[in-house]
Amino acid sequence: MTAAIDADNLRKSYGDVQALDGLSFTVDAGEFFGLLGPNGAGKTTFINTLVGLARLDGGRAEVFGFDVTEEYREVRDRIGLAPQEYNVDRFFPIREVLEHKAGYHGFSSEQASERAMNALETVGIAEKADTRFDWLSGGMKRRFMLARALVSDPDLLILDEPTAGVDVQLRRDLWSVIERMNAGGTTILLTTHYIEEAERLCDRVAIVDRGRKVEVASPDDLTARGTDTIDVGLADPPATAPEFAHDGIVDARMEDGRLVVTARGSGTVIPDLFRELDRLGYEVTDLDIRRASLEEVFVDMTRQEEAVTQ
């Protein structure tokens, strides 16, 4: 099956700034794929190269087998983009804006009108069809940007920080909309600073920094590489932590009369930890486990990348 996105050794610079520095990865058709990275990592530049707003200095990118430079029209017809910034004609009713957008993609006037209303209904603002963009609330503006991306019935939906600045309820409403789109077969590329969003939605994520790929994996696979915290209550706690000879244990210390163990793969560490504590004569009274989060793994990986490049 042809990949939805195939990026190979992408390079793009703006003066002395190397925005993309050999970036490579693929996104499968039908996948919900996240692009994570700190500000300035190259995420928006990557998106701009796909939609024709930036021209690559080197490398090759394809969308469903079409080259983004040589076959721009075929690529653009397959992409729906909801950018982070508002770039909307503010003086027309939003239904007309969507009708014009559908017209650019070859739909007849009748089809464009139908598609516009369908898109507004999908995001829950059909009752605002005759309202100008400027008169919408902040949350409705975010919904409209998603509707505009959907109106052309894209094969690839690109969402650049789609829930930035919205309240928790609206964020979850938008999650439901885009999850339904993905379940219907639409490939989705998401950039976000909300790590919870990536954990909830994405099949895989690419962590990028300084225009380079740091890692590509599922959220579960990435969090499995982090460290869990095992907080153990002991009936007669010692002043200093016992020494444990276990490959999975990174650190053990006493904090406020409790044994705090940092470990990788806590599921395999805990039985051995209990056996060792029993052998040493300690009685366990309670146990609390805090699993590694994708956010912690993300921060750790980007810090390591920064250290390598300095």
Side-chain angles (χ1 to χ4, degrees):
M1 182 181 294
T2 302
I5 300 173
D6 187 358
D8 181 23
N9 197 31
L10 305 188
R11 297 185 178 277
K12 176 65 181 177
S13 62
Y14 298 97
D16 296 332
V17 177
Q18 191 74 37
L20 299 178
D21 189 10
L23 185 64
S24 300
F25 60 85
T26 60
V27 177
D28 297 332
E31 189 171 20
F32 202 130
F33 193 90
L35 198 58
L36 305 180
N39 290 330
K43 304 185 297 297
T44 298
T45 297
F46 172 70
I47 289 172
N48 287 344
T49 64
L50 296 185
V51 300
L53 297 177
R55 191 176 182 89
L56 289 167
D57 297 331
R60 179 180 176 86
E62 294 182 351
V63 173
F64 292 104
F66 295 101
D67 185 275
V68 299
T69 301
E70 303 298 329
E71 299 167 294
Y72 165 72
R73 292 185 181 277
E74 290 83 353
V75 170
R76 196 66 187 89
D77 279 343
R78 286 161 176 79
I79 292 178
L81 170 64
Q84 184 176 354
E85 302 297 331
Y86 298 136
N87 55 351
V88 178
D89 192 328
R90 302 169 183 268
F91 300 101
F92 288 93
I94 58 174
R95 172 168 48 190
E96 291 187 26
V97 175
L98 295 187
E99 289 172 348
H100 294 160
K101 176 71 160 50
Y104 296 151
H105 289 272
F107 291 98
S108 67
S109 295
E110 183 178 350
Q111 291 171 329
S113 180
E114 181 179 357
R115 296 212 59 81
M117 288 308 301
N118 286 342
L120 292 174
E121 288 170 2
T122 297
V123 301
I125 57 171
E127 75 281 2
K128 298 293 183 180
D130 296 319
T131 304
R132 285 169 42 177
F133 181 81
D134 271 351
W135 295 347
L136 298 177
S137 68
M140 288 183 178
K141 287 177 179 177
R142 283 294 173 196
R143 289 176 186 265
F144 172 76
M145 297 303 290
L146 178 56
R148 194 180 65 165
L150 297 176
V151 75
S152 62
D153 193 20
D155 298 317
L156 171 62
L157 179 61
I158 300 178
L159 307 174
D160 191 6
E161 300 286 346
T163 62
V166 305
D167 61 62
V168 174
Q169 183 58 54
L170 176 55
R171 181 174 299 126
R172 293 185 182 277
D173 288 346
L174 291 175
W175 287 356
S176 296
V177 172
I178 57 183
E179 282 179 314
R180 288 197 299 271
M181 295 296 300
N182 182 239
T186 303
T187 306
I188 297 179
L189 176 66
L190 168 76
T191 77
T192 181
H193 285 294
Y194 298 111
I195 304 300
E196 176 194 4
E197 197 162 63
E199 285 184 294
R200 156 77 182 267
L201 299 173
C202 297
D203 301 316
R204 289 190 301 152
V205 298
I207 296 177
V208 298
D209 195 14
R210 300 168 186 261
R212 293 186 290 272
K213 178 185 71 178
V214 178
E215 188 59 272
V216 176
S218 71
D220 285 346
D221 286 344
L222 287 172
T223 54
R225 304 180 196 183
T227 55
D228 301 335
T229 301
I230 308 168
D231 190 329
V232 185
L234 301 174
D236 186 17
T240 59
E243 293 186 6
F244 301 102
H246 193 292
D247 291 341
I249 294 179
V250 177
D251 178 60
R253 60 194 182 277
M254 298 301 299
E255 290 186 2
D256 299 324
R258 297 181 66 84
L259 174 63
V260 179
V261 177
T262 304
R264 291 190 175 88
S266 59
T268 58
V269 168
I270 288 174
D272 292 339
L273 177 64
F274 272 37
R275 281 191 289 269
E276 182 64 11
L277 288 171
D278 182 63
R279 186 187 69 79
L280 294 172
Y282 293 109
E283 179 186 350
V284 175
T285 58
D286 64 275
L287 176 72
D288 182 61
I289 304 171
R290 185 173 66 82
R291 302 289 183 184
S293 70
L294 181 58
E295 181 174 359
E296 291 167 333
V297 174
F298 167 75
V299 170
D300 184 55
M301 284 186 170
T302 52
R303 280 177 178 169
Q304 290 179 24
E305 178 69 14
E306 183 177 354
V308 168
T309 57
Q310 287 181 345

